[in-house]
Amino acid sequence: MITSGIMEILHESIQIYDRLCGKNYLIVFGSKNKYKFVELTIRQSSFWHLLGCSLNQDSNEGKANTYIKCKNKEDVSDKISSIHSFSEITEKYDAMKNVFDFIAKASEIKICYVVGCPEEYLFKIGTGNNIGIIGYDHPNSSSSLLFPKSAQLKPISKLSKNPDRVLMIMSKNINTKHYHKIEYEIKKDIHSELIKHIPDEIKVSLNI
């Protein structure tokens, strides 16, 4: 069971999380002739851990219902346990508010592979700004998708001295094959150039 203070944080943070939930995202970053591509998946199941909590084992069967009830600001404190302290969860929430919505904040955040710092053992990709970071990792060795794993209140410069700007973001529903919607591009119509460089294994609709 969690405290009312943590429940309030989850009620607020799930509103941010849910804006992106239920889709996969293709993020293009880097520079000309050195473009980089990562695919992120945002699912209900990743929300709790990101905020330093977990669903109680006896509530796993109804985890989708717990997510919906939390989004509706119902009290589901008896179905959740906190893994971290209240102050740590507050920091995770502060990082999430400032970084997580990478579409709305695409012009403000940067992205990088995590190499040469302690976090490289925790996650593969970081997005962030001078306030906080969200770390993304593979759920298993066979998956190319990355899920949100860590929210930290520290500048992205702690992960990389030269993080990249986001050039383009595309989306698709989790159960569909092709990315078909442009969510963000750093300048108008740059997608027509970037799409030419997307690897063949990443399927993109040409009817854009």
Side-chain angles (χ1 to χ4, degrees), residues 20 27 40 66 83 93 101 141 167 201:
L20 303 182
I27 300 184
L40 311 180
T66 303
I83 302 169
Y93 174 48
D101 191 343
S141 59
L167 302 178
E201 61 268 23

Side-chain angles (χ1 to χ4, degrees), residues 86-138:
F86 179 77
S87 61
E88 290 172 319
I89 291 172
T90 299
E91 286 190 359
K92 290 177 180 296
Y93 174 48
D94 288 341
M96 190 175 187
K97 283 191 297 184
N98 285 283
V99 180
F100 182 78
D101 191 343
F102 49 76
I103 293 176
K105 298 181 179 293
S107 63
E108 305 169 23
I109 65 171
K110 293 190 175 181
I111 183 170
C112 64
Y113 286 102
V114 182
V115 179
C117 61
E119 284 78 8
E120 71 177 305
Y121 301 103
L122 298 175
F123 47 84
K124 303 297 182 185
I125 287 282
T127 63
N129 52 25
N130 62 348
I131 297 174
I133 58 172
I134 302 293
Y136 294 83
D137 201 11
H138 298 288

